[in-house]
Amino acid sequence: MESPGYDLAAHARSFGAAAGEYARARPGYPDDAVDFLVAGARRVLDLGAGTGKFTASLVARGLDVVAVEPSPQMLAELRSTLDVEAHEGSAEATGLPDACVDAVVVAQAWHWVDPARAVPEVARVLRPGGTLGLVWNVRDESVPWVGRVWAIAQQGSEHEMRSSAANVGAPFTGGETFTTRFEHVTDRAGILDLVASRSYVIVLADHERADLLAEVGRVLDEEFAPGEEVRVPYLTHCTRFRRG
Ligand SMILES: C[S@@+](CC[C@H](N)C(=O)[O-])C[C@H]1O[C@@H](n2cnc3c(N)ncnc32)[C@H](O)[C@@H]1O
């Protein structure tokens, strides 16, 4: 559950302050998840595109892509690496024309939106029969070192995030799910960036964030030798809806 005083809007707006850490540290998405989310589509909207982690997979497939993202700093990171149509906007107000895309994908961001406004907005920009795909990469915290590290920065669990997929209603039907696994290969600095790109950590006071990252650093020093490769196990959970 959200903790007392948890400010969802502040967390949703927080990402721009750590756009660099986000772009460096967060993994992309496995091919079989992308296949499931955009099957048969030609023009795709990546909504809440952030620094372009999912957008890059769409571009690599030669799809006709439009990215929409509310944070100007995240959008600047995306534009610095991808030559793609990209606009400032949100899930509640994309700024796109009616029935202009075959698929909308919201990667790691649906839990930040207001579904009462986002569901009709996504339905408006999708052609009839088009799909809405939601996806979350979730660390496998049953692996002991992963559990230790993320216990330190554990607020707003991914379980709650995924359960937000349940708030997609009419005119959408379906809700087919697909789960796959992958490993993100990184190092000690990459794990610290990964933790620093979490909204819970971004919104902390500077001294609290420094203390938290130092604590994570101590755990990593116990778990890994200096310079050792670190493999982060992830489960990728996808849900796909069809617009009636
Ligand atoms: C965890 S990041 C995911 C970014 C990217 N999709 C990815 O997979 O790396 C969450 C993103 O959702 C964006 N966001 C927050 N509120 C939003 C809203 N109401 N509509 C669309 N995007 C939103 C944030 O600015 C941030 O870029």
Side-chain angles (χ1 to χ4, degrees), residues 12 15 22 26 29 48-50 53 69-71 74 90-92 107-109 112-113:
F15 289 97
Y22 197 104
R26 294 275 186 128
Y29 295 87
K53 295 280 171 187
E69 161 61 38
S71 158
M74 297 293 263
S90 68
E92 296 79 9
Q108 213 89 9
W112 298 123
V113 313

Side-chain angles (χ1 to χ4, degrees), residues 8-9 11-16 22 26-29 46-55 68-72 74-75 89-93 105-114 117-118 135 137 197:
L8 182 71
H11 282 249
R13 281 193 308 271
S14 69
F15 289 97
Y22 197 104
R26 294 275 186 128
Y29 295 87
D46 185 2
L47 185 53
T51 62
K53 295 280 171 187
F54 194 88
T55 325
V68 168
E69 161 61 38
S71 158
M74 297 293 263
L75 204 52
S90 68
E92 296 79 9
V105 178
V106 184
Q108 213 89 9
W110 186 256
H111 53 288
W112 298 123
V113 313
D114 172 4
R117 291 185 295 142
V135 55
N137 281 332
S197 75

Side-chain angles (χ1 to χ4, degrees), residues 16 52 131 212 235:
T131 57
L212 185 149
L235 291 160

Side-chain angles (χ1 to χ4, degrees), residues 58 80 112 153 213:
L58 300 174
S80 73
W112 298 123
L213 292 173

Side-chain angles (χ1 to χ4, degrees), residues 16-81:
E21 285 90 342
Y22 197 104
R24 276 199 303 277
R26 294 275 186 128
Y29 295 87
D31 281 343
D32 51 356
V34 182
D35 288 342
F36 176 81
L37 293 162
V38 299
R42 208 189 64 76
R43 182 160 167 83
V44 180
L45 165 59
D46 185 2
L47 185 53
T51 62
K53 295 280 171 187
F54 194 88
T55 325
S57 299
L58 300 174
V59 171
R61 281 162 192 248
L63 292 167
D64 179 10
V65 181
V66 53
V68 168
E69 161 61 38
S71 158
Q73 296 103 313
M74 297 293 263
L75 204 52
E77 279 283 344
L78 182 149
R79 287 180 171 137
S80 73
T81 54

